[in-house]
Amino acid sequence: MFPAGLLSRFMSSPNNVHMGVAKKVLKYIRGTADLGILYSKSGGVKLNGYADSDWAGSVDDMKSTSGYIFTIGSGAICWNAKK
């Protein structure tokens, strides 16, 4: 998700580097198409939450990045990433 969001910033004027990265993202998606998230009925239901952030961590524009994810068992139910 992150590489696709980053590539979308250059849609108006992509160059050869952007096209090469886009090709790698598509190859990754093709190679992981059979993977997924399993929500199981058995076992205990445990809610986990994780969050992370940085302060002006982007070397390109000195903006901060933050994100969080909540899971029940082994499956993600809510996530967000923001620059």
Side-chain angles (χ1 to χ4, degrees):
M1 188 168 73
F2 179 78
L6 188 61
L7 280 171
S8 69
R9 296 181 197 167
F10 303 98
M11 283 179 38
S12 62
S13 60
N15 62 27
N16 289 336
V17 173
H18 300 122
M19 298 304 281
V21 172
K23 217 179 211 186
K24 287 182 182 182
V25 169
L26 291 174
K27 284 181 183 180
Y28 174 80
I29 292 170
R30 184 178 54 199
T32 58
D34 59 338
L35 300 178
I37 299 172
L38 176 64
Y39 295 99
S40 177
K41 289 183 180 181
S42 64
V45 176
K46 185 175 179 184
L47 175 66
N48 290 316
Y50 304 95
D52 193 16
S53 63
D54 67 2
W55 183 259
S58 175
V59 295
D60 295 330
D61 55 11
M62 299 304 291
K63 290 190 177 180
S64 301
T65 305
S66 63
Y68 63 83
I69 184 168
F70 289 97
T71 63
I72 293 181
S74 64
I77 58 168
C78 179
W79 63 90
N80 185 22
K82 186 187 289 190
K83 187 169 187 178

